[in-house]
Amino acid sequence: MQTLERDVVIIGAGPSGLSAARRLKAAGLSVAVLEARDRVGGRTWTDTIDGAMLEIGGQWISPDQTVLAALVEELGLETFERYRAGESVYISPDGTRRTYSGDMFPVGERTETEMLRLIGILDQLAAETDPAAPWKHPRARELDTVSFHSWLRELSDDEEACNNIGLFVAGGMLTKPAHAFSVLQAVLMAASAGSFSHLVDEDFILDRRVAGGMQQVSERMAADLGDDVVLSNPVRFLRWPGEDGSAHDGVTAVADNVTVHARYAVMAVPPNLYSRVSFDPPLPRRQHQMHQHQSLGLVIKVHAVYATPFWRDKGLSGTCFGAGALVQEVYDNTNHEDPRGTLVGFVSDEKADAMFELSAEDRRQAILSSIAAFLGEEALSPEVYYESDWGSEEWTRGAYAASYDLGGLHRYGPDQLAPVGPIHWSCSDLAAEGYQHVDGAVRMGQLTADSILAAASAETSAAVSGQR
């Protein structure tokens, strides 16, 4: 068992933990990053499957994600725009397939009017909401104790409009049924992206990708940190002085093959994994309760690679939507300068449950048939087919990020970033701007590092004052 002495021990080598480590080390503190997996990157993962490079995890950068964009540039990585030329495809509730241009689905006049009205209401709520403190909204409790599904139908009796608006948050972002989370949680999702209008604009929210894959962001940060990153070492115990001690009494992290004694610890993993660590003494009651009200959703991210991007020859962008379809969203995900064509599709929440009841072959056929309903029979025969199933990943257990159950956000949100002694919390699940995105992970890592640097400075000042 190796023993290390560091200023800060960080649990998790995803974008958040590595961003924190990088900033702390640049400021002169020593760090150790302990990662359970045999790779860095967390919920970003670029892998080669049957000869095709696939973005198995998070991959997109939107224009508002300025912190991530700056980091990508600093690390010397190139970005490219998602392909979007041509018409998009919409499948209506009755199964009718229509092509269209522009931002609005080709729906009936009344449905379009209702969709625009609902978007306007959500834009107004998002504008009133501080993404760093949504619980401070004057109607926070009211908005947090009604489901997004029910609230939409209180506002409109147009079911197609309600389902289409719900799609952008439920299946598209939180990957939970719209009856499983609150209006306030949906408003936070919108506020974190700048507006609800941004969420419904796929050309905004899914703008650019990193050439060679988003995981490179973590890989290059880890390379800068060198031996301070220790892989294949899940942390089993965090020991700290507890209520009778103080932050500067330190913390001990015990992993499988290494023990780190440090002044501070950062838990840079999603909240559903906090319980994988045994805290000694146990975390306070408030923390225990909070973590039980946070959970990740479920989504199958489907990758299909073809000899050519055949949809482009049909004048199609590859962008497809259908709230009632098995695959609710499809996009052209062709890699930079790759002559082959790649589609990515998403099967969320209860539809994903149903798919996992099938055999692998039956699931593949059902999913490809759904994509083919949008883009044609050519979609039935990819050269490479792969399903990203983060729900089965031992050190993730869901996607894309944690959200609260009904009533949980306003009840526990104010305490979610509060340090417990020397232990700090950092992940995209807790971010304000960039919530549940790589940008939010980076922002949280930097914010947590700054918090620790401020605490260390205060302790140093207090120690100097005490010597006088």
Side-chain angles (χ1 to χ4, degrees):
M1 175 72 76
Q2 182 183 14
T3 301
L4 302 175
E5 301 288 337
R6 295 289 192 272
D7 290 313
V8 185
V9 59
I10 297 163
I11 295 92
S16 192
L18 293 169
S19 295
R22 195 166 180 258
R23 177 162 290 198
L24 290 165
K25 191 169 182 179
L29 297 189
S30 59
V31 300
V33 183
L34 305 182
E35 168 57 47
R37 294 183 173 94
D38 61 359
R39 62 170 182 83
V40 300
R43 285 168 277 182
T44 62
W45 184 14
T46 307
D47 202 2
T48 300
I49 307 294
D50 296 334
M53 190 205 84
L54 304 179
E55 294 262 44
I56 295 172
Q59 61 176 78
W60 282 294
I61 307 174
S62 59
D64 62 316
Q65 295 174 357
T66 54
V67 171
L68 174 59
L71 177 60
V72 166
E73 183 177 359
E74 181 185 344
L75 294 173
L77 294 169
E78 180 184 357
T79 65
F80 66 102
E81 286 191 353
R82 177 177 64 84
Y83 183 84
R84 62 196 76 182
E87 291 194 306
S88 301
V89 180
Y90 175 76
I91 294 182
S92 63
D94 65 4
T96 302
R97 176 188 179 276
R98 296 183 177 90
T99 58
Y100 68 100
S101 300
D103 297 332
M104 178 54 65
F105 296 162
V107 295
E109 183 178 349
R110 183 175 185 274
T111 297
E112 178 176 341
T113 298
E114 286 296 278
M115 287 180 65
L116 291 172
R117 186 173 67 86
L118 293 171
I119 291 170
I121 293 170
L122 286 160
D123 274 343
Q124 180 60 41
L125 285 170
E128 298 167 355
T129 300
D130 179 359
W135 45 86
K136 290 184 179 180
H137 190 283
R139 296 171 55 203
R141 190 181 191 283
E142 172 193 345
L143 296 172
D144 201 32
T145 52
V146 61
S147 76
F148 193 46
H149 174 98
S150 296
W151 181 80
L152 287 171
R153 284 152 184 83
E154 288 174 1
L155 292 174
S156 176
D157 62 359
D158 190 309
E159 190 66 13
E160 184 176 6
C162 290
N163 282 329
N164 284 342
I165 295 300
L167 165 66
F168 292 107
V169 180
M173 289 294 175
L174 300 181
T175 64
K176 293 179 176 179
H179 63 255
F181 59 87
S182 73
V183 183
L184 188 64
Q185 189 76 60
V187 170
L188 167 60
M189 189 74 251
S192 73
S195 70
F196 192 83
S197 290
H198 284 166
L199 293 185
V200 304
D201 181 358
E202 75 277 0
D203 288 344
F204 181 90
I205 206 74
L206 310 178
D207 182 29
R208 304 189 70 84
R209 293 174 55 197
V210 175
M214 182 67 79
Q215 190 186 1
Q216 291 176 103
V217 172
S218 293
E219 290 171 337
R220 294 201 179 187
M221 287 193 289
D224 290 343
L225 293 165
D227 292 340
D228 290 330
V229 179
V230 183
L231 302 179
S232 301
N233 264 275
V235 171
R236 308 297 186 180
F237 299 95
L238 267 183
R239 300 190 176 109
W240 55 290
E243 294 181 1
D244 295 332
S246 62
H248 65 262
D249 290 322
V251 61
T252 297
V254 181
D256 286 356
N257 300 301
V258 61
T259 295
V260 182
H261 301 295
R263 296 165 62 192
Y264 305 96
V266 177
M267 287 290 291
V269 297
N272 65 307
L273 296 184
Y274 295 163
S275 62
R276 300 299 302 277
V277 176
S278 294
F279 295 86
D280 182 18
L283 294 174
R285 179 194 314 107
R286 186 74 171 168
Q287 292 284 330
H288 285 164
Q289 289 294 308
M290 182 195 312
H291 302 159
Q292 292 179 64
H293 288 270
Q294 294 169 290
S295 61
L296 274 73
L298 177 65
V299 64
I300 306 171
K301 182 179 183 182
V302 180
H303 314 260
V305 183
Y306 302 87
T308 63
F310 64 86
W311 52 93
R312 298 182 187 177
D313 295 336
K314 300 179 180 184
L316 300 176
S317 65
T319 300
C320 312
F321 293 101
L326 173 60
V327 183
Q328 296 178 314
E329 301 173 83
V330 181
Y331 301 100
D332 185 320
N333 210 39
T334 302
N335 291 324
H336 187 49
E337 297 181 344
D338 190 345
R340 293 175 296 180
T342 300
L343 294 172
V344 63
F346 299 91
V347 182
S348 292
D349 54 74
E350 293 171 314
K351 293 175 181 178
D353 290 336
M355 285 299 96
F356 286 126
E357 294 294 320
L358 303 179
S359 68
E361 182 56 32
D362 287 347
R363 183 169 63 249
R364 171 190 168 114
Q365 290 305 313
I367 289 172
L368 289 176
S369 293
S370 183
I371 296 175
F374 290 109
L375 296 172
E377 291 189 359
E378 299 95 325
L380 294 172
S381 304
E383 294 183 345
V384 179
Y385 175 87
Y386 184 78
E387 298 167 1
S388 300
D389 173 21
W390 287 93
S392 66
E393 287 287 322
E394 177 69 7
W395 299 108
T396 302
R397 301 188 172 191
Y400 307 111
S403 55
Y404 284 95
D405 57 16
L406 285 178
L409 180 56
H410 87 282
R411 183 179 176 187
Y412 295 108
D415 299 313
Q416 64 184 9
L417 293 180
V420 177
I423 304 169
H424 295 246
W425 318 94
S426 183
C427 56
S428 63
D429 315 70
L430 307 178
E433 292 83 0
Y435 165 58
Q436 86 162 16
H437 290 94
V438 180
D439 178 76
V442 175
R443 288 175 188 266
M444 281 303 306
Q446 295 177 356
L447 179 67
T448 305
D450 290 344
S451 178
I452 289 174
L453 290 170
S457 177
E459 286 181 14
T460 300
S461 297
V464 170
S465 296
Q467 295 172 358
R468 290 176 180 171

